[in-house]
Structures are given as structure tokens and as C-alpha cells.
Amino acid sequence: MKLVDFSADLIDPQAIKDAGYVGVIGYFSDSRPGANFGAKPLRRDYCDRLRALGLEIVSNYQYGKGATSDWRGGFDGGVRHAEIALKYHTEAGGHGNRPIYAPVDSNPSLEEWNSRIAPFLRGWASVVGREWTGMYGNARCIDWALEDGVATWFWQHNWSGDPSINGDHPAAHIHQVEIDKRTVGGVGVDVNITLEDDYGQWSAVATGGGSAAGHPLGVDLVPYREQMNGLWNDADNTKQLIVEHTTESESGNTAVIGYLERTGNGSYQTMIDFDGEEVRMVPDNKQAWAAMMQGNRRGLHVCAMGRAEWARDRWQQEGKLLERTAMRYAEWSRRYGIPLVKISAADAANGVRGIVGHIDITAAFHESDHGDPGRNFPYDIVIARAFEINNGTTISEEFMSLADDELGKRFGSRSKYRADDDLVDTLAGFVLNIDARIHEEHVEREALKGVGWAVDLVKREAARGDAGAQAVLAEIEGSE
């Protein structure tokens, strides 16, 4: 089946249908400065006209071009453009469970891919979800996107510089096969062929699969994979620890778990992908093959898609992954009483309960050289969110509540001259009383030395009737 894409002006839907096309790939973006594209963005009334004739709609976005290509904005650019795309897509009648294709409208180098485009797509996915992130790119970019796990839907173009790779890519859903060679209704169009039954068309929303990140958390969130049977020890673990790991890959749950299944190279209780999808692999009452004998025996193991080398700000780009990880921490803490506290390697070795990384297991027991999830994994963010999930309040709010309780508690005197053991003041009151006595003694001591400012203060308080100040003043005047 063939689709057209166009931006110069709107085309009468009947003309599109009469020309033999099944639908359009529409632009849900503004015209860039200096341009005035009549079909950017498509609006609700036009989309309704298309659908009334049974024409399909696929959502696409492109604002900049060449030196101003959208992907040059990196992660922040991906967020900004995806927010605009999603707004126009939704206003026009597009469903949330349909992809929006992000533009890689060039033949970039690998350096450009790594430094700009992959971050751009991650930013895009942080808005629409990776499961609904599409990419318009050449075959080489599709390979890179699959390797890095940064897109799920692919609209292939042929700007590759290499005709030998311009055949239909096996992962592509749509292939743009002709550019600027014909018109429909007097408007220039590009021609595309569909390669999958579901290529992102709005009408297929019923079979779109929903958002993995939207699943409720539960012990059996996703059924255990039978292939993992045998990749764990039947003995229970002590549930002393929650142990964080990283995949050292960005290829997604399916690819990583498939590798573990094929190679028998290890397992975890659960694995969490960038889009928040969680796949349970080993039951909680078994020992995963995750961190050698001591780590396996003591812990519940959660593996995050990502790399130990990542900086903290790189981790913070994966909001859905961190949210799902926090939900898992919260669940295990509630169920097994594991404290939501990051502990040290020495603590883990001494039997303290809490949260560690594989790197801490290595330092504690010296059974391997693994260093994941690295030094920059944001435990503080994940633990604070897990605490909030379990308690309905933040750690800071809970701390302040406890602090208020302590500061309001009354205590008895500890003076050996006290008359009784009655509760006489709060902790804050005692501290302020100590401050008062120290300052008074300092002023009176200086006044007895004849220091002018101190004498003046003593005279002030004596005139107000303070007996202690009057006694000091009498001593001063008696010595003159």
C-alpha cells in the first residue's frame, strides 16, 4: 500500500483517494522561519475529512532542516520538539498509543549520531514513551537506533550515500521510495510504501498494545519466563539486600533477556527498560545468578537498562526507568521489610539490611570484579521516590515531622540542685537558656572589669528591677 507525505499545501482528500493512495503521513509541526507551509501542522478539521473518506493518517514531525535540523538540539531539543508534536497530534485527534516519527532527515556520521541524534531520540522518548517513538532515517540510522534502543518505529528514507543499503530495511515500517517527482491535486508529494500491517496509522490504535509503563506494579507484573528455569538456584535468598545492576547494553529487555537465555550467562529477579517496562525473570523466593554466591544468597536483584559509566545527569534522563525502579524498591521494602536506605559494602558484609549496587557486593565479598551500576547511579532520587510511594510523603517531609516532634518534646532538668524531676522545658528551650546564661555571665564579667558597654547594659537591667543586675551594679559601685 502507498502513502503520500506533503507539506507545501493541503490536498483535497478526495484527490488523494482518487490517485490510489491509502493515506497520508502528516506533519504535526510548525513551519520554520522563512517558510509558509500550508500543511504544517495538520489540524483537526482536515484530519476529520481524511478519515471520513477512510484515508489513514500517520503522525510525523519536522521543523528545522540542514544546519537547523531538529536533532542538532540533542536531548533538550528532543524534549522540546516532542512536546510540540504531541500537542498538535492530540489536538488533531491522534491517540496517545500511536507513534510519532521524529526526523533524522540527513545522512549523519556516527559521531553525530552518538553526540546529537541518540540523545535527541532519548529526549523525544521521555515525552511520548520509547514504545511510541518513531524515527525517520536511513537504513544505517535504523541499525544504530536498534543497537542503542532509542526508537521502536521506523520510516526509512534513502539519503544514505550508498544505494546498496537502500532496499527495504527489515525493521522498517514505512519506506519513502520517491521524492518530489509527482503531484496530487496540484501539490508536490513524496511516495511511501508500507512494509508492516501496523505502520503507525491512527486507525490501528486498538491493536497498538498500550503503554508498558502504564502497567500496575505487582509481583507477577509479567509472567516469569520459562526459559529462565534452571538459571537460578532453588534455595531461597535471605532478602537482606536489594541489589542494583545495569545491563551494560541499551538494546532493550527483549534483546538482553534473549542473550541471557541463549548463553545461560545469568539472571535477575527483574529487569527494567527505558520505557518503564519491567520483566520478572526469577521468583523472589529463589536465588538469581546475579552477583556470585554471597550476593545471590543475600539479595533481590534488579537490573536497569543502562551503563555503569553513565554520569548522574545521563541517568536522570531516564525518568520512566527510575520511576519503575522506585516502584520495585517500594514493593520489596513493603513486602520484605528491607529498609529504603543505601548502605556501604562494609554494612552489607556485616549483615546490615538495605540497598546496594553490584559494585558494593564486589567490594564486600571479593568474588568478582563487577562495578555496575557505577558510582553515579542516583540512589538518592530512587530511594526518595520509593519512600514517597510507601508513605505518601517525601523523606524531607517525614524528617521535618519527626524533627517537630522532637523539638516539641519536654525534658526535665539535669542540674544536681533541681527540686524535682518534673518536665520543665523543650530541647530548644534548654539550648536557648544555655545561650542566655553564657551571654549574661559574659556581660557581667566584662562590667566588673569596668568595660563601658557592659556597665551600661548592667545599669539598664538594674533600672528595670532585675535583682541579679542590681547585685552586680552594687559590687561595681562599691569597688569605686
Side-chain angles (χ1 to χ4, degrees), residues 138-140 156-158 160-169 175:
N138 63 31
R140 194 177 295 109
Q156 180 183 353
H157 64 64
N158 289 339
S160 65
D162 183 359
S164 69
I165 67 170
N166 287 348
D168 297 342
H169 192 286
H175 192 173

Side-chain angles (χ1 to χ4, degrees), residues 1-7 21 23-27 40 58 60-62 65 101-107 135-139 142 154-160 163 165-169 171-182 188-196 199:
M1 296 186 293
K2 294 183 179 180
L3 306 167
V4 288
D5 68 272
F6 52 91
S7 60
Y21 299 102
V24 306
I25 303 172
Y27 285 89
K40 281 189 175 184
V58 177
N60 161 55
Y61 181 95
Q62 183 185 348
K65 187 174 183 179
Y101 288 91
V104 183
D105 53 322
S106 56
N107 180 28
M135 184 194 73
Y136 173 65
N138 63 31
I142 294 176
F154 300 101
W155 175 17
Q156 180 183 353
H157 64 64
N158 289 339
W159 301 333
S160 65
I165 67 170
N166 287 348
D168 297 342
H169 192 286
H173 297 78
I174 307 170
H175 192 173
Q176 188 180 64
V177 293
E178 182 183 289
I179 297 176
D180 294 335
K181 291 186 177 179
R182 68 184 68 197
V189 298
D190 302 330
V191 178
N192 306 266
I193 58 173
T194 63
L195 302 175
E196 300 286 348
Y199 46 88

Side-chain angles (χ1 to χ4, degrees), residues 400-411:
M400 290 307 298
S401 176
L402 291 171
D404 287 344
D405 290 344
E406 288 299 310
L407 291 174
K409 189 183 298 182
R410 297 179 71 82
F411 298 88

